[in-house]
Amino acid sequence: MRVVIVGAGQVGSSIAADLDETHEVVVVDSDPDRTEDLNYTLDVLAVTGDGTAVSTLEDAGVENADMVIASTDDDETNIVVCSTVKAISDAFTIARVKNTEYLRTWQRSKKAFGIDFMVCTNLLAAESIVRVVGLPAARDVDPFAGGRVQMAEFEVDEDSPVSNVTIREADRFDELTFAAILREGSVEIPHGETVIRAGDRVVVIGTPPSVQEFARSVAPDESPGTAEEVVIVGGSEIGYHVARLLEERGFNPRLIERDDLRARKLAEDLPGTVVMESDATDMDFLEREHVGDADLLVAALDSDEKNLLVSLLAGRLGVERTVAVIDTTEYVDLFEAVGVDIGVSPREVVAEEITRFTREGGAENVALIESNKAEVLEIEVDEQSILAGRAIKESVAELPDSVVIGAITRRGEFITPRGDTVVEPGDHVVLFAATEVVDAIAPKL
């Protein structure tokens, strides 16, 4: 495809880096330093100019573009970009916004603003956080096959019962597949005698109950499911959506907000949440409210530094897991190195969502693993598929070693894939694959 990206900030640059090897990519930005840098670092054409101007868009070749992605940090600019593109091109348009009101308007009329697909940074970040709640030790969770299948990534600590045991010993679950181990920056496909080490991140695919059971075996001391006590610090848009989504799942979180008016508004809008007006860095308050007894704390304040401070305080008080919203993507690894359990970058989340959307092609659903090192894909098998009418052990022999069949659903029923399982046309197959082989295997599936 020919893809035009307007906005070369963290989101736009990340998308460009993900797409430049497989697509013809043009990036537009008003900052000449950014465009010059991209011309040297990526295989893209960078154009300097105002992305809302017809002349700039024409210079970028939007008339021949298949897709235009508006990814600046300004919602209104992104909306105008898409509207302008629709006036001069038939390209598919994607807009990134932060304000959920724009998303609600677009959802009521999918052609509103001249936008074909809209992603909301704050909502996506909240959904990313909520997916790991209730699954001890989980770092990432994605649903497939209408929620009948889950992919989850778990981090194994030294004290975990599954540390220093083989996959064969850890695999006590009928509806679970060990898809991969992420170890020291590399992706390994495990076998029965592969030993799980402390620090490994284990990727599993299975039914939600089996994933939940595995979570209990990874971290038996943490409370699973809705028994998990969650504290949210900060009534920001992300904090609000985390609380709202948790309420919908049956949780009763606590939320700490310093501003009086905002706290009152949140209390009205979140009937299932206990809203407390206070400064979350007040140690006396935190101890008085037994915040240290929480299983998980989400730091969703308006600055990275405050979120780091709150997360470290929570860990010191005894909170089992901390999740910090980190606006500066480059800080994620640093924050996790100094004590934050999970760092969530809204910009990285939205960049991955847009990249995922562009990658889907013939796939029903796609999840990116470990910043695009691997992918989990859901496909519907047709008559021409290499999988159709054959036992899995026969078909995978013709696929790269880095491909693992993780789950099958047939007419709404879950099937655990085994070597002699025969895949039928119409089945939905969820598989794991290293990113470098995805383009090669996609036509075969």
Side-chain angles (χ1 to χ4, degrees):
M1 291 193 299
R2 181 180 176 87
V3 181
V4 176
I5 301 169
V6 179
Q10 291 181 11
V11 174
S13 298
S14 177
I15 297 168
D18 287 336
L19 301 182
D20 71 334
E21 290 186 9
T22 53
H23 300 288
E24 182 184 352
V25 179
V26 181
V27 182
V28 177
D29 197 277
S30 58
D31 186 340
D33 292 333
R34 284 182 178 176
T35 54
E36 183 179 4
D37 185 52
L38 285 176
N39 274 325
Y40 282 109
T41 57
L42 298 177
D43 184 18
V44 302
L45 171 63
V47 176
T48 303
D50 179 2
T52 64
V54 171
S55 57
T56 302
L57 293 173
E58 287 176 339
D59 288 342
V62 294
E63 303 96 328
N64 302 315
D66 299 291
M67 180 180 291
V68 176
I69 302 169
S71 63
T72 74
D73 280 336
D74 184 76
D75 291 358
E76 290 74 18
T77 297
N78 293 335
I79 291 170
V80 172
V81 167
C82 291
S83 298
T84 306
V85 167
K86 281 300 183 185
I88 60 174
S89 168
D90 294 326
F92 188 93
T93 55
I94 299 177
R96 165 203 173 198
V97 298
K98 289 175 275 193
N99 190 336
T100 52
E101 289 301 321
Y102 289 133
L103 180 65
R104 291 192 187 99
T105 301
W106 177 79
Q107 287 173 333
R108 293 185 68 172
S109 173
K110 291 296 177 71
K111 292 296 181 181
F113 311 123
I115 295 169
D116 295 306
F117 185 62
M118 181 177 281
V119 291
C120 180
T121 306
N122 292 335
L123 185 58
L124 284 172
E127 289 172 343
S128 176
I129 293 167
V130 168
R131 284 197 295 267
V132 305
V133 177
L135 277 178
R139 293 188 55 83
D140 191 15
V141 182
D142 280 288
F144 291 88
R148 287 181 286 273
V149 177
Q150 273 186 342
M151 180 285 297
E153 177 187 332
F154 294 93
E155 183 160 12
V156 178
D157 291 332
E158 287 184 9
D159 298 332
S160 172
V162 302
S163 178
N164 296 317
V165 304
T166 64
I167 293 292
R168 194 183 311 281
E169 293 168 330
D171 189 4
R172 305 187 304 274
F173 313 96
D174 293 335
E175 298 179 329
L176 192 76
T177 299
F178 286 77
I181 291 178
L182 309 177
R183 177 179 293 163
E184 296 176 355
S186 64
V187 178
E188 296 185 19
I189 304 302
H191 302 284
E193 301 310 314
T194 301
V195 177
I196 301 172
R197 302 176 189 164
D200 284 352
R201 296 182 181 178
V202 180
V203 178
V204 297
I205 300 171
T207 60
S210 66
V211 173
Q212 182 73 255
E213 284 296 315
F214 180 66
R216 290 192 182 99
S217 72
V218 174
D221 295 334
E222 295 187 35
S223 303
T226 54
E228 190 162 43
E229 184 179 349
V230 182
V231 173
I232 303 161
V233 177
S236 61
E237 272 289 293
I238 293 176
Y240 161 74
H241 286 298
V242 169
R244 179 181 62 81
L245 293 168
L246 287 174
E247 286 185 0
E248 291 177 2
R249 287 182 51 190
F251 289 82
N252 296 109
R254 290 185 285 166
L255 189 152
I256 302 170
E257 168 56 42
R258 184 175 186 174
D259 182 77
D260 174 60
L261 292 177
R262 179 63 175 165
R264 289 176 185 273
K265 181 71 168 61
L266 291 168
E268 293 172 2
D269 294 342
L270 299 167
T273 300
V274 176
V275 179
M276 299 175 285
E277 181 195 336
S278 181
D279 181 352
T281 62
D282 183 342
M283 284 291 287
D284 291 337
F285 168 79
L286 297 176
E287 290 174 350
R288 188 168 62 251
E289 295 297 330
H290 303 285
V291 170
D293 295 339
D295 297 293
L296 184 140
L297 180 138
V298 178
L301 294 162
D302 57 3
S303 85
D304 293 349
E305 291 76 12
K306 291 177 183 176
N307 287 335
L308 174 62
L309 176 59
V310 167
S311 299
L312 296 179
L313 282 175
R316 186 173 179 180
L317 287 170
V319 174
E320 289 283 353
R321 278 197 299 169
T322 56
V323 179
V325 176
I326 305 170
D327 195 52
T328 307
T329 305
E330 292 82 359
Y331 287 175
V332 172
D333 290 340
L334 174 62
F335 280 29
E336 291 182 352
V338 299
V340 174
D341 292 307
I342 302 174
V344 175
S345 166
R347 288 189 166 111
E348 188 172 32
V349 170
V350 78
E352 285 197 358
E353 175 68 7
I354 294 173
T355 300
R356 181 197 64 77
F357 186 83
T358 63
R359 285 280 178 85
E360 281 191 352
E364 299 283 314
N365 196 1
V366 178
L368 304 181
I369 305 293
E370 198 70 5
S371 299
N372 209 19
K373 286 189 175 69
E375 299 181 19
V376 177
L377 304 93
E378 176 188 348
I379 59 164
E380 183 174 356
V381 177
D382 60 22
E383 297 282 355
Q384 287 72 44
S385 171
I386 193 175
L387 304 174
R390 305 175 69 188
I392 288 176
K393 61 186 175 185
E394 296 176 14
S395 53
V396 297
E398 300 177 29
L399 295 171
D401 292 339
S402 58
V403 177
V404 177
I405 307 292
I408 301 169
T409 60
R410 179 176 299 158
R411 294 181 287 277
E413 295 296 320
F414 181 91
I415 297 173
T416 303
R418 298 290 183 243
D420 55 359
T421 303
V422 177
V423 178
E424 299 179 2
D427 287 354
H428 282 244
V429 175
V430 180
L431 58 89
F432 175 97
T435 299
E436 62 262 23
V437 305
V438 169
D439 291 330
I441 67 171
K444 300 179 181 180
L445 301 174

